[in-house]
Amino acid sequence: MAQAATSDKTSDNRHRWEAPEAEPPLAAEALREWREAVERTRAIAREGDLSLSDVARKSGVPVPTLSAWYSASYNGSYPNITRRVQRWIASHDEAREALMGLPAEPGFVETPTARRLIEALIYAQTFPEFSVVTMGAGMGKTCAARHYAATRPHAYLVTMRPSTAGRHAMLQELAMALSVSEANPARLDRSIGAKLQRNGRHTLLIIDEAQNLVDDAVNQLRYFNDEFGCGIALLGNEAVYRRWGSLGGTSDKDGLAQVQSRIGLRILQRQVVPGDVEAILDAWGIEDAETRKLAHAIARRPGALRGLGKALKLASMLALGGGEALGAGHLRQAWANRGGEELR
């Protein structure tokens, strides 16, 4: 009964990581280790705002067991649970030490390419029109779209995937993004449209990974543009451009000539520009000429700016481990460790 009561008392909604009111009947050394593990668990959880479930998941100790162990009401082997908690604490401390001293990773960086995308989104939202934006992998397309949606009123970003290719599945994704609840599937599109219209005539739907949509789903987006004055931005790979970006890419028999005629802005950019890399390096505070030259070489490889960002993060850790400032050698090693080809 005591253990059940404790488990209920320390449920996620009410657990405040207070100091245990009792101690288990253990030998001196085992009791000392329990006390230390409990205190460190309490400190880590409070500092990181972790719930009981969070700590249980990270430590691999079931919630009821962790709760009873922490409150000294456990009926099993305390040393076994203490060792599992100690392993989690050690892992947490190692990860924290690795991150301490690392330079803060820049947030959103408005590169020239990102600015070009943002201008396409502004165009689609303001007029409102269709914009089609095709960019190579790793060029910051999704990051810029997220930034725009997070900083502009009435702009919504929805990412498509193969399982949302159809019209109804797409509508369900849009409904989730817009917080629209509609039990009748036949009325879902009108409920979404009504929500868009209530937000004014300058709403924007940003559809990322639009290459996953079938033609009927894209035609549904045209309906939102026509009936509710909602701007539409289709973002994706070159399949998006082939279907809707090229003026000769769609014929009347495809059933999407009406969509193509509404596209007011088309962008096709396959590679980053040097200014993109310069902006990223400036944001990281990297001034060394050789390091910047290597960064440009990495950004020209598959993965572009995404690959460069990952290499810079790893290079920062390597530099920190050696007690050195980040330099060309660290970046070269980081790129090699990620499986990249030799840089020249």
mmCIF file of all heavy atoms in Angstrom, residues 105-111 114-115 118 140-141 143-148 280 283:
data_model
loop_
_atom_site.group_PDB
_atom_site.id
_atom_site.type_symbol
_atom_site.label_atom_id
_atom_site.label_comp_id
_atom_site.label_asym_id
_atom_site.label_seq_id
_atom_site.Cartn_x
_atom_site.Cartn_y
_atom_site.Cartn_z
ATOM 1 N N GLU A 105 25.644 27.701 -30.981
ATOM 2 C CA GLU A 105 25.333 27.496 -32.394
ATOM 3 C C GLU A 105 24.407 28.607 -32.869
ATOM 4 O O GLU A 105 23.418 28.926 -32.204
ATOM 5 C CB GLU A 105 24.660 26.141 -32.583
ATOM 6 C CG GLU A 105 24.382 25.803 -34.029
ATOM 7 C CD GLU A 105 23.712 24.454 -34.181
ATOM 8 O OE1 GLU A 105 23.617 23.733 -33.165
ATOM 9 O OE2 GLU A 105 23.275 24.140 -35.296
ATOM 10 N N PRO A 106 24.714 29.224 -34.000
ATOM 11 C CA PRO A 106 23.845 30.305 -34.479
ATOM 12 C C PRO A 106 22.430 29.799 -34.732
ATOM 13 O O PRO A 106 22.221 28.641 -35.094
ATOM 14 C CB PRO A 106 24.509 30.731 -35.797
ATOM 15 C CG PRO A 106 25.906 30.219 -35.722
ATOM 16 C CD PRO A 106 25.849 28.979 -34.892
ATOM 17 N N GLY A 107 21.482 30.661 -34.521
ATOM 18 C CA GLY A 107 20.114 30.315 -34.875
ATOM 19 C C GLY A 107 19.913 30.492 -36.370
ATOM 20 O O GLY A 107 20.803 30.188 -37.165
ATOM 21 N N PHE A 108 18.765 31.006 -36.746
ATOM 22 C CA PHE A 108 18.507 31.227 -38.163
ATOM 23 C C PHE A 108 19.447 32.296 -38.706
ATOM 24 O O PHE A 108 19.600 33.367 -38.114
ATOM 25 C CB PHE A 108 17.058 31.656 -38.378
ATOM 26 C CG PHE A 108 16.775 32.109 -39.783
ATOM 27 C CD1 PHE A 108 16.741 31.193 -40.821
ATOM 28 C CD2 PHE A 108 16.562 33.450 -40.063
ATOM 29 C CE1 PHE A 108 16.495 31.606 -42.122
ATOM 30 C CE2 PHE A 108 16.308 33.877 -41.355
ATOM 31 C CZ PHE A 108 16.276 32.946 -42.389
ATOM 32 N N VAL A 109 20.089 31.994 -39.825
ATOM 33 C CA VAL A 109 20.984 32.940 -40.493
ATOM 34 C C VAL A 109 20.361 33.300 -41.837
ATOM 35 O O VAL A 109 20.092 32.420 -42.661
ATOM 36 C CB VAL A 109 22.387 32.336 -40.708
ATOM 37 C CG1 VAL A 109 23.283 33.331 -41.441
ATOM 38 C CG2 VAL A 109 23.009 31.933 -39.370
ATOM 39 N N GLU A 110 20.133 34.578 -42.055
ATOM 40 C CA GLU A 110 19.526 35.005 -43.315
ATOM 41 C C GLU A 110 20.604 35.106 -44.393
ATOM 42 O O GLU A 110 21.212 36.151 -44.612
ATOM 43 C CB GLU A 110 18.795 36.338 -43.162
ATOM 44 C CG GLU A 110 17.979 36.691 -44.406
ATOM 45 C CD GLU A 110 17.120 37.925 -44.228
ATOM 46 O OE1 GLU A 110 16.177 37.870 -43.413
ATOM 47 O OE2 GLU A 110 17.404 38.934 -44.905
ATOM 48 N N THR A 111 20.831 33.997 -45.051
ATOM 49 C CA THR A 111 21.761 33.955 -46.169
ATOM 50 C C THR A 111 21.095 34.577 -47.396
ATOM 51 O O THR A 111 19.873 34.773 -47.416
ATOM 52 C CB THR A 111 22.142 32.503 -46.483
ATOM 53 O OG1 THR A 111 20.952 31.812 -46.920
ATOM 54 C CG2 THR A 111 22.709 31.797 -45.258
ATOM 55 N N ALA A 114 18.407 32.238 -48.435
ATOM 56 C CA ALA A 114 17.254 32.304 -47.532
ATOM 57 C C ALA A 114 16.434 33.556 -47.806
ATOM 58 O O ALA A 114 15.195 33.521 -47.790
ATOM 59 C CB ALA A 114 17.723 32.281 -46.080
ATOM 60 N N ARG A 115 17.114 34.668 -48.072
ATOM 61 C CA ARG A 115 16.397 35.910 -48.362
ATOM 62 C C ARG A 115 15.578 35.776 -49.643
ATOM 63 O O ARG A 115 14.449 36.281 -49.728
ATOM 64 C CB ARG A 115 17.392 37.068 -48.499
ATOM 65 C CG ARG A 115 16.719 38.421 -48.678
ATOM 66 C CD ARG A 115 15.878 38.767 -47.462
ATOM 67 N NE ARG A 115 14.757 39.634 -47.794
ATOM 68 C CZ ARG A 115 13.783 39.943 -46.955
ATOM 69 N NH1 ARG A 115 13.778 39.442 -45.732
ATOM 70 N NH2 ARG A 115 12.799 40.725 -47.324
ATOM 71 N N ILE A 118 12.491 33.859 -48.720
ATOM 72 C CA ILE A 118 11.585 34.680 -47.915
ATOM 73 C C ILE A 118 10.839 35.677 -48.795
ATOM 74 O O ILE A 118 9.636 35.916 -48.612
ATOM 75 C CB ILE A 118 12.371 35.391 -46.797
ATOM 76 C CG1 ILE A 118 12.781 34.374 -45.725
ATOM 77 C CG2 ILE A 118 11.551 36.523 -46.178
ATOM 78 C CD1 ILE A 118 13.711 34.925 -44.673
ATOM 79 N N GLY A 140 19.012 25.147 -46.892
ATOM 80 C CA GLY A 140 18.349 25.969 -45.885
ATOM 81 C C GLY A 140 16.917 26.319 -46.205
ATOM 82 O O GLY A 140 16.332 27.193 -45.561
ATOM 83 N N LYS A 141 16.327 25.618 -47.164
ATOM 84 C CA LYS A 141 14.951 25.918 -47.581
ATOM 85 C C LYS A 141 13.966 25.743 -46.423
ATOM 86 O O LYS A 141 13.177 26.649 -46.118
ATOM 87 C CB LYS A 141 14.578 25.006 -48.754
ATOM 88 C CG LYS A 141 13.106 24.932 -49.098
ATOM 89 C CD LYS A 141 12.886 24.071 -50.320
ATOM 90 C CE LYS A 141 13.460 22.688 -50.201
ATOM 91 N NZ LYS A 141 12.812 21.876 -49.128
ATOM 92 N N CYS A 143 14.585 25.473 -43.193
ATOM 93 C CA CYS A 143 14.926 26.349 -42.067
ATOM 94 C C CYS A 143 14.366 27.750 -42.288
ATOM 95 O O CYS A 143 13.793 28.359 -41.376
ATOM 96 C CB CYS A 143 16.437 26.390 -41.893
ATOM 97 S SG CYS A 143 16.990 27.343 -40.465
ATOM 98 N N ALA A 144 14.506 28.268 -43.502
ATOM 99 C CA ALA A 144 13.987 29.603 -43.804
ATOM 100 C C ALA A 144 12.466 29.624 -43.747
ATOM 101 O O ALA A 144 11.863 30.588 -43.261
ATOM 102 C CB ALA A 144 14.475 30.054 -45.177
ATOM 103 N N ALA A 145 11.835 28.550 -44.229
ATOM 104 C CA ALA A 145 10.375 28.480 -44.187
ATOM 105 C C ALA A 145 9.876 28.429 -42.747
ATOM 106 O O ALA A 145 8.873 29.068 -42.398
ATOM 107 C CB ALA A 145 9.894 27.253 -44.960
ATOM 108 N N ARG A 146 10.565 27.684 -41.894
ATOM 109 C CA ARG A 146 10.181 27.633 -40.479
ATOM 110 C C ARG A 146 10.318 29.006 -39.832
ATOM 111 O O ARG A 146 9.461 29.428 -39.047
ATOM 112 C CB ARG A 146 11.057 26.617 -39.745
ATOM 113 C CG ARG A 146 10.717 25.164 -40.034
ATOM 114 C CD ARG A 146 11.714 24.244 -39.372
ATOM 115 N NE ARG A 146 11.398 22.840 -39.614
ATOM 116 C CZ ARG A 146 12.255 21.844 -39.440
ATOM 117 N NH1 ARG A 146 13.488 22.104 -39.004
ATOM 118 N NH2 ARG A 146 11.895 20.603 -39.685
ATOM 119 N N HIS A 147 11.404 29.678 -40.148
ATOM 120 C CA HIS A 147 11.613 31.016 -39.587
ATOM 121 C C HIS A 147 10.497 31.962 -40.028
ATOM 122 O O HIS A 147 9.970 32.735 -39.213
ATOM 123 C CB HIS A 147 12.970 31.558 -40.042
ATOM 124 C CG HIS A 147 13.224 32.973 -39.635
ATOM 125 N ND1 HIS A 147 13.575 33.328 -38.351
ATOM 126 C CD2 HIS A 147 13.152 34.140 -40.344
ATOM 127 C CE1 HIS A 147 13.720 34.633 -38.277
ATOM 128 N NE2 HIS A 147 13.465 35.153 -39.467
ATOM 129 N N TYR A 148 10.138 31.894 -41.283
ATOM 130 C CA TYR A 148 9.082 32.771 -41.791
ATOM 131 C C TYR A 148 7.761 32.486 -41.079
ATOM 132 O O TYR A 148 7.073 33.412 -40.621
ATOM 133 C CB TYR A 148 8.924 32.572 -43.299
ATOM 134 C CG TYR A 148 7.961 33.542 -43.936
ATOM 135 C CD1 TYR A 148 8.412 34.743 -44.472
ATOM 136 C CD2 TYR A 148 6.597 33.268 -44.001
ATOM 137 C CE1 TYR A 148 7.530 35.648 -45.051
ATOM 138 C CE2 TYR A 148 5.708 34.162 -44.574
ATOM 139 C CZ TYR A 148 6.181 35.351 -45.101
ATOM 140 O OH TYR A 148 5.300 36.244 -45.664
ATOM 141 N N ILE A 280 27.109 32.168 -43.076
ATOM 142 C CA ILE A 280 27.180 31.126 -42.045
ATOM 143 C C ILE A 280 28.466 31.262 -41.239
ATOM 144 O O ILE A 280 28.460 31.200 -39.998
ATOM 145 C CB ILE A 280 27.098 29.731 -42.690
ATOM 146 C CG1 ILE A 280 25.739 29.517 -43.373
ATOM 147 C CG2 ILE A 280 27.358 28.642 -41.652
ATOM 148 C CD1 ILE A 280 24.568 29.499 -42.435
ATOM 149 N N ALA A 283 28.377 34.147 -38.898
ATOM 150 C CA ALA A 283 27.528 33.863 -37.737
ATOM 151 C C ALA A 283 28.254 32.992 -36.720
ATOM 152 O O ALA A 283 28.022 33.112 -35.513
ATOM 153 C CB ALA A 283 26.234 33.182 -38.193
#
